[in-house]
């Protein structure tokens, strides 16, 4: 952890974290946090905040001091009973149960298993583009970004293609169910239940007669003789839609947004060089990633910068702030797909790289490091490079754009623009 | 039996030390450091699993 001295600065009114202003542009507050309050006690929401690169990294790495779980793995809580997805890995902290659930499926999203699905990702990207390419205009979120990942997942799972559109609807309702309020929750739960009824017989069938699809693989994958229960499989499928679908959708949208509005001068480079989309992905994940914050609970007292975070305190790890830390990146507020101080290649769980560069924190690090890191990167890069290859002279339809925003941090929402219209020559 | 790490091959994926903190820990540079070489039957099974999972083929068991 960094032990730099802290210069006193202006106080931060904690109500700012609930404001529209912060949701739109959190970066000035992030800078104040890093410079003057690297450990910030938000008394209003009763939580603590870490914002410097090495402190966020350190907390992600430190399983002895920080845990993600709200409930004890061996306590009375019935895991999954309060979660819209049902039983899933996100409710677990650093427990054996977490390791079990993760290791059974993690191998399905990397290496050769992932490569098996790549041709399908190419094909789906082309099909989605076919639908609008003749019109000279595309609303990137609804017509492109939100279409590719969910169809890819549905195909990976081996669902019949004619059911793809139904699956897209369940997905949208389920994501809406993550918002606050009873109405949202009901919509999410309804969709979840319908989806589960649909998938239940498939699980039964593929558990005994597996094919090459992801659902079969999840049903039959074993670690140390243990498989997922049928409820766990269903919970995982629901999780896959949000953790794997919604995030990738927003990643794709944000990549285009930054080339259209933040760095239009680098658009040409991206259009003429299909390989550079991996850089666009990495720099997007640093500059303004889809997820800016992760929550942890302290499991012991943590002394830091002449202050102490108490035991059992809620802590926000602002990876979105760490990514803009001058202590880790030069000119951190510049979006640059050619930057030489960011690890542009594939991410990993340790956050350490042989090229000696710092990685972005956008997938988290350590115990809960994103399980879909390889898939998200490859899928985003493929989909975007396909689109880039097919549009001529793409340009924003509106010269001014309201920008990227995030829903309130408590809703767990992902950051993206609401609308993104691109015109191109036919 | 001993677990060996080939640092040339290892690309610091982190899989070994996050899955098996009883056998490895991350050193300051991101490489795994073997912290337990007395492998009873249980630990041997864990070590074999780590060797199998390592995406770089950087781990091996030596008699
Ligand atoms: C660009 C797209 C994505 C972003 C920004 C993203 C972001 C993240 C982040 C920040 C975490 C860390 C959570 C924590 O520290 O508690 C995480 C975990 C996770 N991600 Fe992703 N993710 C993306 C794509 C995917 C995909 C495609 C999948 C599908 C396989 C996926 C599955 C998961 C799962 C299962 C976890 C939980 C891992 C655990 O708790 O051990 N993600 N993701
Ligand atoms: S699993 Fe293999 S590549 Fe990853 S850190 Fe361990 S030895 Fe290195």
């Amino acid at each position: 952890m960094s032990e730099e001295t802290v210069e006193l600065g202006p106080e931060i009114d904690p109500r700012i974290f609930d404001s529209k202003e912060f949701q739109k542009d959190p970066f000035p507050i992030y800078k104040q946090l890093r410079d003057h309050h690297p450990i910030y006690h938000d008394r209003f929401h009763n939580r603590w905040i870490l914002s410097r690169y090495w402190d966020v990294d350190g907390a992600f790495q430190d399983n002895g001091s920080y845990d993600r779980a709200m409930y004890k793995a061996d306590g009375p809580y019935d895991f999954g009973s309060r979660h819209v997805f049902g039983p899933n890995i996100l409710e677990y902290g650093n427990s054996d149960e977490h390791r079990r659930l993760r290791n059974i499926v993690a191998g399905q999203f990397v290496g050769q298993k992932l490569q098996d699905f790549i041709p399908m990702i190419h094909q789906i990207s082309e099909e989605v583009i076919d639908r609008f390419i003749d019109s000279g205009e595309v609303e990137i979120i609804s017509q492109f970004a939100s279409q590719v990942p969910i169809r890819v997942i549905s195909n990976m799972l081996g669902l019949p293609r004619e059911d793809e559109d139904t699956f897209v609807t369940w997905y949208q309702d389920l994501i809406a169910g993550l918002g606050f309020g009873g109405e949202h929750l009901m919509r999410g739960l309804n969709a979840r239940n319908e989806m589960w009824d649909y998938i239940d017989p498939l699980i039964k069938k593929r558990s005994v007669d597996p094919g090459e699809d992801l659902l079969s693989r999840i049903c039959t994958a074993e670690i140390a003789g243990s498989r997922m229960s049928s409820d766990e499989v269903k919970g995982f499928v629901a999780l896959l839609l949000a953790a794997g679908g919604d995030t990738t959708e927003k990643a794709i949208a944000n990549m285009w947004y930054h080339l259209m509005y933040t760095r239009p001068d680098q658009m040409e480079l991206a259009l003429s060089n299909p390989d550079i989309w991996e850089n666009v992905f990495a720099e997007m994940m640093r500059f303004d990633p889809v997820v800016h914050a992760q929550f942890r609970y302290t499991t012991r007292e943590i002394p830091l910068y002449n202050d102490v975070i108490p035991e059992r305190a809620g802590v926000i790890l602002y990876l979105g702030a760490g990514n803009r830390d001058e202590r880790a990146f030069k000119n951190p507020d510049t979006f640059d797909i050619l930057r030489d101080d960011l690890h542009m290649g594939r991410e990993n769980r340790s956050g350490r790289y042989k090229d000696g560069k710092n990685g972005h924190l956008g997938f988290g690090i350590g115990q809960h490091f994103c399980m879909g890191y390889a898939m998200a990167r490859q899928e985003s890069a493929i989909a975007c490079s396909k689109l880039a290859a097919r549009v001529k002279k793409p340009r924003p339809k509106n010269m001014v754009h309201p920008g990227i925003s995030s829903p309130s941090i408590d809703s767990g929402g992902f950051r993206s623009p609401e609308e993104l219209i691109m015109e191109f020559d036919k | 039996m001993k677990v060996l790490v080939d640092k040339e091959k290892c690309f610091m994926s982190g899989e070994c030390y996050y899955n098996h903190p009883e056998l490895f820990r991350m050193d300051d540079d991101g490489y795994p450091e073997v912290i337990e070489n007395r492998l009873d039957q249980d630990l041997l099974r864990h070590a074999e699993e780590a060797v199998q999972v390592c995406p770089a083929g950087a781990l091996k068991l030596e008699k």
Side-chain angles (χ1 to χ4, degrees), chain A residues 61 103 348-350 354, chain B residues 7-8 10 12 15 17-18:
Chain A
Q61 304 271 11
N103 289 347
N348 71 39
R349 216 171 162 181
S350 72
K354 278 206 164 166
Chain B
K7 283 199 181 181
E8 290 293 312
C10 168
M12 310 160 181
E15 293 306 322
Y17 40 85
Y18 289 111

Side-chain angles (χ1 to χ4, degrees), chain B residues 3-43:
Chain B
V3 187
L4 297 180
V5 182
D6 182 342
K7 283 199 181 181
E8 290 293 312
K9 287 189 183 158
C10 168
F11 55 74
M12 310 160 181
S13 75
E15 293 306 322
C16 55
Y17 40 85
Y18 289 111
N19 285 322
H20 299 288
E22 68 286 357
L23 289 173
F24 308 91
R25 67 174 204 94
M26 182 177 93
D27 75 12
D28 291 342
D29 299 320
Y31 289 103
E33 195 180 302
V34 180
I35 52 170
E36 184 57 86
N37 256 322
R38 285 162 308 177
L39 305 179
D40 61 18
Q41 207 150 33
D42 259 3
L43 285 181

Side-chain angles (χ1 to χ4, degrees), chain A residues 161-413:
Chain A
R161 289 218 69 175
E162 62 269 23
D163 296 340
E164 221 169 272
D165 288 324
T166 319
F167 208 60
V168 173
T169 314
W170 286 331
Y171 160 70
Q172 283 156 351
D173 289 353
L174 207 64
I175 300 302
L178 294 174
F180 269 138
E183 202 184 313
H184 287 300
L185 188 63
M186 279 318 293
R187 189 172 155 200
L189 286 176
N190 281 339
R192 183 196 75 184
N193 293 340
E194 279 179 32
M195 186 176 80
W196 281 4
D197 287 344
Y198 170 88
I199 222 158
D200 216 20
L202 294 178
I203 292 177
K204 289 209 178 70
K205 185 164 171 294
R206 296 191 194 177
S207 299
V208 290
D209 182 18
E212 276 306 302
D213 59 278
L214 181 63
L215 187 60
S216 298
R217 289 177 182 182
I218 296 172
C219 291
T220 54
E222 263 180 40
I223 280 281
S226 165
R227 288 186 182 191
M228 275 196 181
S229 71
S230 141
D231 280 354
E232 284 169 346
V233 172
K234 286 191 270 187
F236 186 77
V237 171
L239 170 69
L240 201 54
L241 300 188
D246 198 28
T247 49
T248 311
E249 161 182 339
K250 266 120 204 183
I252 293 173
N254 291 356
M255 288 159 79
W256 282 95
Y257 171 84
H258 288 305
L259 289 175
M260 286 163 67
Y261 290 99
T262 314
R263 276 310 288 273
D265 58 310
Q266 291 194 331
M267 175 73 99
E268 201 47 52
L269 187 61
L271 292 175
S272 56
N273 184 351
D275 294 333
I276 205 111
W277 287 94
E278 300 231 358
N279 290 37
V280 183
F281 180 82
E283 176 64 345
M284 177 278 296
M285 290 290 275
R286 183 198 71 82
F287 184 78
D288 190 353
V290 180
V291 179
H292 273 219
Q294 288 297 324
F295 290 95
R296 293 294 188 264
Y297 301 91
T298 55
T299 53
R300 59 163 82 131
E301 293 193 352
I302 297 166
L304 199 61
Y305 301 110
N306 297 326
D307 205 339
V308 181
I309 309 181
E311 192 177 331
R312 285 186 298 278
V315 182
I316 298 183
L317 307 182
Y318 262 128
L319 50 95
N323 276 338
R324 295 279 190 114
D325 193 342
E326 299 78 357
R327 296 155 195 84
F329 300 106
K330 287 171 292 188
N331 303 322
D333 295 327
T334 305
F335 181 89
D336 181 4
I337 60 177
L338 297 176
R339 102 183 354 265
D340 62 9
D341 58 355
L342 171 68
H343 174 75
M344 291 286 180
R346 185 140 42 83
E347 297 76 4
N348 71 39
R349 216 171 162 181
S350 72
R352 303 290 178 269
Y353 298 101
K354 278 206 164 166
D355 58 14
K357 297 177 186 175
N358 294 325
H360 69 74
L361 301 170
F363 283 133
I365 286 183
Q367 194 70 33
H368 302 292
F369 174 65
C370 179
M371 225 160 74
Y373 67 105
M375 174 174 158
R377 159 181 283 266
Q378 235 175 330
E379 182 177 352
S380 306
I382 291 172
C384 291
S385 63
K386 291 275 168 199
L387 181 56
R390 293 189 60 188
V391 290
K392 290 193 203 78
K393 297 210 188 102
R395 57 211 174 250
K397 175 161 182 170
N398 307 304
M399 286 327 287
V400 283
H401 190 284
I404 291 185
S405 186
S406 42
S408 138
I409 147 142
D410 300 297
S411 73

